[in-house]
Amino acid sequence: MTERERLLTLAETLPDLEVHAAVRFLEYLTREISDPVQTALENAPFDEEPLSPEDVAALEEARRDLAEGRVVSHEEARKRLRIGR
């Protein structure tokens, strides 16, 4: 019996409650193989470069904007930037 045949046999014998989890896992494996960009991003090393004072100030400003509702939807941003027309 080949590995593929074994996989199909196992899939046929899965309890109904486990089918969803198995499908999700196989989708994950398929994405890992088919999306090299996603794989590269997930395996990229952590950036240990410290934030500059300007970076910290920009992040604080963004957090204030978010907290105070000064945001636009993704759709509105696309309209303003004339993307996708």
Side-chain angles (χ1 to χ4, degrees), residues 28-44:
Y28 165 78
L29 290 176
T30 302
R31 273 194 312 274
E32 286 297 303
I33 293 168
S34 65
D35 190 349
V37 173
Q38 182 67 32
T39 301
L41 288 172
E42 289 174 357
N43 294 321

Side-chain angles (χ1 to χ4, degrees), residues 45-73:
F46 180 74
D47 182 6
E48 295 181 15
E49 183 177 338
L51 296 174
S52 70
E54 293 83 9
D55 294 334
V56 173
L59 287 170
E60 289 171 355
E61 180 182 2
R63 288 185 182 114
R64 280 192 306 274
D65 286 344
L66 184 59
E68 296 173 13
R70 290 190 302 265
V71 296
V72 296
S73 68

Side-chain angles (χ1 to χ4, degrees), residues 1-34:
M1 177 180 286
T2 68
E3 289 290 303
R4 185 172 298 276
E5 290 169 335
R6 185 166 172 243
L7 175 64
L8 293 172
T9 300
L10 288 170
E12 288 295 323
T13 61
L14 272 177
D16 289 342
L17 291 174
E18 301 300 331
V19 170
H20 178 72
V23 167
R24 296 289 305 213
F25 182 68
L26 290 172
E27 287 173 342
Y28 165 78
L29 290 176
T30 302
R31 273 194 312 274
E32 286 297 303
I33 293 168
S34 65

Side-chain angles (χ1 to χ4, degrees), residues 64-84:
R64 280 192 306 274
D65 286 344
L66 184 59
E68 296 173 13
R70 290 190 302 265
V71 296
V72 296
S73 68
H74 181 76
E75 182 178 310
E76 179 62 24
R78 290 179 62 87
K79 285 180 186 175
R80 289 182 186 185
L81 296 170
R82 301 177 201 272
I83 296 175

